[in-house]
Amino acid sequence: MAPVYSIVVPLYNEEEVIAEAYRRLTAVMEQADGAYELILVDDGSRDKTKAMAREICERDNRVRLLSFSRNFGHQTAITAGMERARGQAIVVIDADMQDPPEVVLQMIAKWKEGYGVVYGQRTQRKGETAFKKMTASVFYRFLRHMTDVDIPVDTGDFRLISREVRDVLVSLPERNRYVRGLVSWVGFQQAAVPYTREERFAGVSKYPLRKMLRFAGDAVVSFSTKPLKWPRMLGILTAVSGVGYLIALLIRALAVGVDQGEIKLMLGVLLFVLGIFMLALGFVASYISRIYDEARGRPLYIIEEETPRDN
Ligand code: UDP
Ligand code: MG
């Protein structure tokens, strides 16, 4: 019989937390009013995560394992888990227990009230570096300013979605998936459950700066075309001021002759303009590289192992 709830847990090198995550999630979900399945998505871990997940699977038939052939990224892991989910309500939760599993029960209560999306909203973040908190806060607000989609601030991927919403989400073909943005984009009735983001149970963040930047880039490129319009504005600005400057120079040269100092100044102006030009090219490149990525149409992920192999 299909479960009522599906819990999707992405895992990347989480050997230190997987046992605890399993223990806590099981304790919470056994209190829920319906059957559940736990979908562990191993995102190409290189430590013992996969072996440990396999062991849990063999012991507990409510648990399923999906293992990628390499690291495809957090958002892809979440997507794969959603695709496999059979429940009527699907919850995505990180393995490191920063998002307390107990909150899931509150999310379920909201879902029963008729909300299609119930997202966890962080009122506080514990045990994260000031840098992480600051960049996250600035980023969420910047993104909000950039896009037309109403993406709630301070909200990660810890959320519950209904079967209906899940069906829409998995049908979206895009590859550069900023899942939390897509969830906002699909609409439906959405509710927030506030919670305090705890410290990681063990281990370190699997989001180095490089991944964070890529993630932020995906978010902006998937939900806004504003950066594509900036070069035009910058172009108008620099062109107008350039023409003004040239006219001034010409008048001066006619009146008092050419001044050597101004040639040096010109070099400065030239470098500045070239810089802006390159920057604009960079913005455009961000979009083109993602278009290229979409056009190649390679699969989103490759599965190496799936237990059990039933659907
Ligand atoms: N994760 C993943 N693939 C990755 C990076 C992270 O599946 O490439 C998982 C990770 O195991 C965790 C969740 O995504 O369950 C969130 O990662 P993390 O806690 O490291 O991020 P942070 O909380 O520091 O933003
Ligand atoms: Mg974390």
Side-chain angles (χ1 to χ4, degrees), residues 177-198:
R177 298 180 84 87
Y178 182 63
V179 175
R180 53 194 83 164
L182 294 175
V183 172
S184 301
W185 179 84
V186 300
F188 293 88
Q189 291 287 333
Q190 309 217 352
V193 171
Y195 74 101
T196 301
R197 191 150 217 243
E198 299 293 335

Side-chain angles (χ1 to χ4, degrees), residues 9-14 17 41-45 49 68 71-78 93-99 122 125 128 132 140 157 180 197-198 200 204-208 211-212 215:
V9 189
L11 297 147
Y12 180 52
N13 295 342
E14 299 287 14
V17 305
V41 187
D42 162 41
D43 185 11
S45 298
T49 303
F68 287 173
N71 182 238
F72 279 91
H74 181 209
Q75 303 292 299
T76 308
I78 292 175
I93 185 166
D94 287 353
D96 57 6
M97 299 291 104
Q98 283 195 280
D99 310 322
R122 305 157 180 168
R125 299 170 78 116
E128 285 181 298
K132 174 112 189 180
Y140 285 127
D157 288 307
R180 53 194 83 164
R197 191 150 217 243
E198 299 293 335
R200 220 175 203 284
V204 293
S205 172
K206 304 302 176 314
Y207 259 100
K211 274 190 185 166
M212 252 159 72
F215 183 59

Side-chain angles (χ1 to χ4, degrees), residues 102-159:
E102 294 71 28
V103 176
V104 173
L105 295 176
Q106 295 173 41
M107 291 180 167
I108 289 176
K110 282 268 174 210
W111 169 65
K112 292 207 160 143
E113 284 174 30
Y115 291 99
V117 176
V118 187
Y119 55 88
Q121 195 155 33
R122 305 157 180 168
T123 47
Q124 233 188 317
R125 299 170 78 116
K126 285 191 194 161
E128 285 181 298
T129 59
F131 176 73
K132 174 112 189 180
K133 282 188 208 169
M134 208 257 300
T135 46
S137 173
V138 169
F139 168 69
Y140 285 127
R141 279 150 190 87
F142 169 71
L143 189 66
R144 197 181 171 78
H145 167 76
M146 293 286 292
T147 62
D148 304 325
V149 181
D150 195 14
I151 303 174
V153 296
D154 302 325
T155 301
D157 288 307
F158 180 34
R159 62 184 72 220

Side-chain angles (χ1 to χ4, degrees), residues 210-231:
R210 178 180 51 82
K211 274 190 185 166
M212 252 159 72
L213 288 176
R214 169 85 205 176
F215 183 59
D218 278 342
V220 173
V221 172
S222 336
F223 286 94
S224 175
T225 49
K226 278 188 189 164
L228 280 178
K229 290 164 193 152
W230 290 344

